[in-house]
Amino acid sequence: MSYGQGGPQSQWDPWTPQSQQPWKSGDDDGTPDWAALADASENRKKRRKVLLIAGGVLATGAIGTAVAMAVSNAGGDSRAGGPSSLPATASLPGGTATTAPSFAPTSAPPPLDPKDFIASANKDTAPLSPETLFPGTQLTMGETVYKKGATSDSKDCASGAGGTLAQALAAGKCTRLMRVSYVKDGVAVTVGVAVFDNDTDAQRFKDRADKKSIVAALPGKGVKAFCDSAICRSTTNTLGRYAYFTIAGFTNGKDVTTKDTKVFAAGNDLAQFSFRQIRRRGEAQASAAANQ
């Protein structure tokens, strides 16, 4: 005869609440089955150890996964393009990429014009004399060498003028007239340079000058008298506040004709050299002023 509920006795599970401990089956004296209890205890220890090992493996896996995710995020994925990607090297502090510097626009001052320095006595202050314009004892133009003769420098511009030149120089208020002569193979040339206060006065002279405005030939220092009464070839030009002239002819008194190419060449050489020397004055003074 049984008491209580019928059916088989429930098995005791140490991990299941409300389960009952196992007892020896059959008729006994109610004493616990110590062997069964020992086995159950041993089983609980093994299960706890297995659970602890499994938990450690899971934790290690989770840490590895987290590290892998962090490494993946740190390396960036060009395909993903997500917000976890690092910025480009150029935007990182200390990166090697550089950008071109930006500067505010500036404007360089315009170059100084050499013509300005030979247009007025106020700027044209460099030393001036026959020696500064025509230095040395000879002049070489290409393969031709001219020997230098006498020189003249006067504030009385009319003293070295011939024909109508004196009146033209007076109209421009000439302040100085310098002359230098050269000779080669019986052909002599006198070059004259008249000085005015400004290019306006030089233009006034130019307006008054004509074919009879001739500079007077200057003999001396190895240059015989020439162009006293013979026909000679002459030129007249202006540059800035200067006017420059040439008169060329034979030292033997022969008249010059259009066939006398040596006379024309000598006059052209001296006229060209005079132009260069006056222009160089302007260039030298403009360069000096720019470097101050």
Side-chain angles (χ1 to χ4, degrees), residues 120-287:
S120 172
N122 293 330
K123 282 192 172 183
D124 188 13
T125 58
L128 178 63
S129 70
E131 289 301 326
T132 60
L133 289 177
F134 305 96
T137 59
Q138 64 184 29
L139 172 64
T140 302
M141 296 293 290
E143 296 180 354
T144 305
V145 178
Y146 299 94
K147 183 180 179 182
K148 186 178 178 181
T151 63
S152 173
D153 185 4
S154 176
K155 292 182 179 180
D156 181 9
C157 297
S159 63
T164 61
L165 181 60
Q167 291 80 2
L169 291 175
K173 300 179 181 179
C174 174
T175 62
R176 187 175 182 182
L177 178 62
M178 294 172 286
R179 290 181 296 163
V180 181
S181 292
Y182 292 87
V183 65
K184 176 178 173 57
D185 297 336
V187 175
V189 182
T190 293
V191 55
V193 177
V195 184
F196 304 90
D197 284 338
N198 50 61
D199 55 356
T200 301
D201 290 344
Q203 182 61 46
R204 189 176 294 112
F205 154 79
K206 184 177 181 180
D207 294 339
R208 290 289 302 272
D210 56 28
K211 292 182 180 181
K212 296 181 179 181
S213 299
I214 301 171
V215 67
L218 179 66
K221 287 190 176 182
V223 179
K224 296 179 180 180
F226 66 103
C227 296
D228 287 338
S229 58
I231 297 174
C232 292
R233 193 248 181 164
S234 64
T235 64
T236 301
N237 295 281
T238 59
L239 178 62
R241 71 186 188 107
Y242 298 91
Y244 55 100
F245 327 93
T246 65
I247 184 168
F250 293 106
T251 56
N252 61 6
K254 178 184 175 181
D255 290 340
V256 176
T257 68
T258 56
K259 295 181 181 180
D260 295 318
T261 56
K262 290 184 178 180
V263 176
F264 281 79
N268 291 342
D269 283 346
L270 268 297
Q272 184 179 21
F273 184 75
S274 301
F275 169 82
R276 291 178 181 176
Q277 289 297 88
I278 296 170
R279 184 182 62 184
R280 285 169 183 167
R281 282 183 59 83
E283 292 172 347
Q285 293 179 95
S287 177

Side-chain angles (χ1 to χ4, degrees), residues 86-111:
L86 289 175
T89 304
S91 62
L92 289 174
T96 57
T98 59
T99 56
S102 177
F103 299 98
T106 59
S107 57

Side-chain angles (χ1 to χ4, degrees), residues 60-83:
T60 302
I63 293 173
T65 301
V67 172
M69 292 177 64
V71 172
S72 176
N73 288 337
D77 190 346
S78 60
R79 295 171 298 174

